[in-house]
Amino acid sequence: MEKLIIHGPKTLNGKVKISGAKNSAVALIPAALLSEKKVIIDNVPNISDLHKYYTILEELGVKITHLSNSKIQIDSSNIHNFEAISDNVKQFRASYYLLGTLLAKNGYVKVGLPGGCNIGERPIDQHILGFKKLGATVIIDSDNVTAKSDKLIGNEITFDVVSVGATINVMIAATKAIGITVLKNVAKEPHVVDVANFLNALGANIVGAGTDTITINGVNNLNNEVQYTVIPDQIEAGTFLVAGAISGGEIEILNCIPQDLECIISPLKSAGVNIQTFKDSIKVNSNNIFSPINIITEPHPGFPTDLQSQIGVLLSLSNGTSTLTEQIWESRFTYIDELNKMGANIIVNDKTAVFNGVNHLKGAKVKATDLRAGAALVIAGIIADGTTEITNINYIDRGYENIEDKFRKLGANIERVVE
Ligand code: EPU
């Protein structure tokens, strides 16, 4: 078992380059199986969730060639297995994108029910609603989901809840359906737009991604030669923004999309953080005095749930009482017990956490309870007095590429050790 040991407090200074977006890559990579050609994808983050995805795809007969640290080639010409039911599949959530992809490609698919970070109930009823509306028969048993259809047919589908996964999955499934599919009440996250752009590059005909309605004109084949670059990770960039805000130095965040980060830039500015945006980079610093603010998580363009725990570290240091209300997931406050061990004063009342600001955090032995909780504890450890030891860091490795190297280059004293 590995853990992170962080000696603080340290001031962070310098430049950090953001990697490709996890939540885009976990959709683009399976979606590439729709292509008749080999597909090259660049700016792919080197994270454990993707390593797991490569193994799953290889189990299906897909050939993944690593052309460089961040570039892969996907060759699905010899895919022979349309039942993704191994233990690897069940270990992470985004394996559900194989449902939409292989249903569209092959007319039959069985996928193990997805697992993932422990952040609450994670139903897939909206994905299934979409596949059924396209004419598929969907059967769910205790372990697997099976979807079948001789030919998917375009339809108008209004989702009951705004879901990133359902929007992307049904959009993928509809790319080769007969006729027009109109998806309403869809998610508008940057990675939804990225997947639509990728599918269009392959040869699909999708308009409206990034708005409330997406229209897909079904095509027979996707056979363009494609080399596609994944967008930068909005959440990794937001994580470094918070770190820069609370560390007392100045960080320049390179390779990011500032307009996609307005959801976090705006509350940080309200708290008193100085932020300058450029074409594809952001500078952040502060005088370490933070006004209290109130935040509610919402689908994009609202404040993202995936940055809730990271901004929680800043709120725990604010000059007064702040609140964070989590509306997307039931169990995303598990990091709060850990931050309280580090000297924070936070009380959770159902969906709202109340942060009574303290002057300093202090090092402690803490555990990452999910991916973003882990990232929050890393930031907290860097600015806390003394030594912080973080266990369960496999969660962090699922979605952050070289987190300790990136923070070390900015001046953190952080090392990975084997227990
Ligand atoms: N929901 C349903 N039915 C569904 C699907 C979702 O009721 O069929 C509900 C969920 O229970 C939740 C809400 O809708 O309350 C939003 O869920 P969504 O489907 O948008 O989440 P997801 O697609 O499963 C992705 C990211 C999450 C991120 C959420 C919200 C991936 C692989 N995961 O999950 O990322 O929190 O969108 O933005 O893309 C993370 O990166 O740390 C992470 C958890």
Side-chain angles (χ1 to χ4, degrees):
M1 292 284 272
E2 293 180 327
K3 60 187 177 184
L4 291 174
I5 308 282
I6 307 173
H7 301 286
K10 288 284 180 204
T11 301
L12 301 180
N13 280 294
K15 300 180 185 201
V16 60
K17 183 166 177 275
I18 299 306
S19 301
K22 167 183 95 84
N23 287 345
S24 193
V26 293
L28 293 185
I29 289 168
L33 307 192
L34 280 178
S35 175
E36 320 289 322
K37 299 270 171 58
K38 292 176 185 166
V39 177
I40 295 177
I41 307 183
D42 202 356
N43 203 32
V44 175
N46 191 357
I47 53 175
S48 70
D49 263 5
L50 289 184
H51 302 160
K52 198 158 282 159
Y53 227 144
Y54 302 148
T55 307
I56 291 168
L57 294 178
E58 281 160 0
E59 288 166 357
L60 304 180
V62 177
K63 187 162 182 234
I64 308 281
T65 309
H66 295 269
L67 303 174
S68 76
N69 180 45
S70 60
K71 194 190 282 193
I72 58 166
Q73 176 180 271
I74 302 173
D75 176 359
S76 52
S77 55
N78 286 321
I79 183 165
H80 51 73
N81 179 6
F82 296 92
E83 299 197 339
I85 50 176
S86 69
D87 284 346
N88 287 321
V89 173
K90 295 174 183 169
Q91 282 171 24
F92 86 114
R93 177 87 179 151
S95 49
Y96 55 38
Y97 290 130
L98 288 168
L99 276 171
T101 304
L102 296 182
L103 178 63
K105 185 178 178 79
N106 181 55
Y108 168 82
V109 58
K110 185 187 267 195
V111 175
L113 278 170
C117 271
N118 183 24
I119 55 179
E121 268 301 304
R122 300 191 75 175
I124 56 165
D125 57 297
Q126 298 301 303
H127 304 231
I128 289 164
L129 166 112
F131 300 146
K132 285 186 172 168
K133 287 258 186 182
L134 293 174
T137 306
V138 185
I139 299 163
I140 307 169
D141 63 33
S142 53
D143 291 325
N144 305 304
V145 186
T146 307
K148 289 185 229 179
S149 159
D150 289 339
K151 191 66 204 164
L152 297 173
I153 307 211
N155 201 348
E156 183 172 311
I157 301 164
T158 303
F159 293 109
D160 303 325
V161 294
V162 176
S163 157
V164 171
T167 300
I168 293 178
N169 222 350
V170 180
M171 179 170 76
I172 293 172
T175 51
K176 291 179 76 180
I178 296 171
I180 296 175
T181 300
V182 179
L183 304 181
K184 294 189 170 171
N185 196 28
V186 293
K188 296 178 279 206
E189 269 66 3
H191 33 290
V192 174
V193 180
D194 202 35
V195 178
N197 289 341
F198 172 69
L199 291 168
N200 283 340
L202 294 181
N205 182 345
I206 301 171
V207 291
T211 72
D212 289 319
T213 303
I214 297 177
T215 303
I216 304 133
N217 274 285
V219 296
N220 288 331
N221 289 303
L222 292 93
N223 50 18
N224 296 340
E225 296 276 353
V226 169
Q227 170 154 343
Y228 191 83
T229 302
V230 180
I231 54 164
D233 197 302
Q234 178 203 29
I235 305 302
E236 190 196 14
T239 303
F240 280 99
L241 266 174
V242 177
I246 61 177
S247 86
E250 180 171 272
I251 297 187
E252 191 172 351
I253 298 162
L254 307 178
N255 187 38
C256 63
I257 305 176
Q259 27 321 0
D260 289 347
L261 288 154
E262 208 32 57
C263 49
I264 171 101
I265 289 174
S266 171
L268 285 176
K269 282 184 171 169
S270 303
V273 177
N274 303 317
I275 296 177
Q276 277 179 281
T277 57
F278 303 91
K279 185 168 156 281
D280 57 3
S281 64
I282 303 179
K283 278 187 187 166
V284 55
N285 65 51
S286 79
N287 61 4
N288 268 356
I289 299 171
F290 305 113
S291 308
I293 48 172
N294 301 314
I295 292 177
I296 300 176
T297 63
E298 285 171 311
H300 192 76
F303 188 89
T305 174
D306 294 345
L307 285 172
Q308 189 252 97
S309 20
Q310 299 89 316
I311 203 158
V313 182
L314 181 143
L315 300 189
S316 70
L317 295 166
S318 67
N319 204 359
T321 300
S322 302
T323 61
L324 251 183
T325 301
E326 171 61 47
Q327 298 199 117
I328 310 292
W329 301 117
E330 294 90 1
S331 322
R332 257 207 160 159
F333 283 140
T334 50
Y335 68 97
I336 281 177
D337 280 349
E338 308 304 302
L339 272 190
N340 281 342
K341 284 181 200 160
M342 298 180 74
N345 179 353
I346 313 163
I347 297 159
V348 178
N349 291 321
D350 191 22
K351 290 183 169 189
T352 299
V354 180
F355 292 72
N356 298 303
V358 296
N359 289 333
H360 294 284
L361 296 179
K362 58 180 192 309
K365 289 189 176 184
V366 290
K367 62 175 184 298
T369 46
D370 69 56
L371 165 60
R372 308 303 173 186
L377 295 175
V378 171
I379 303 174
I382 290 169
I383 52 103
D385 296 327
T387 301
T388 296
E389 199 177 298
I390 307 176
T391 52
N392 283 11
I393 60 171
N394 54 311
Y395 279 121
I396 304 175
D397 294 335
R398 294 181 73 146
Y400 286 89
E401 175 173 330
N402 292 337
I403 193 164
E404 71 269 28
D405 285 352
K406 288 190 180 185
F407 275 118
R408 201 179 298 118
K409 282 183 189 140
L410 292 171
N413 182 339
I414 174 169
E415 58 177 333
R416 181 180 292 251
V417 298
V418 180
E419 278 186 283

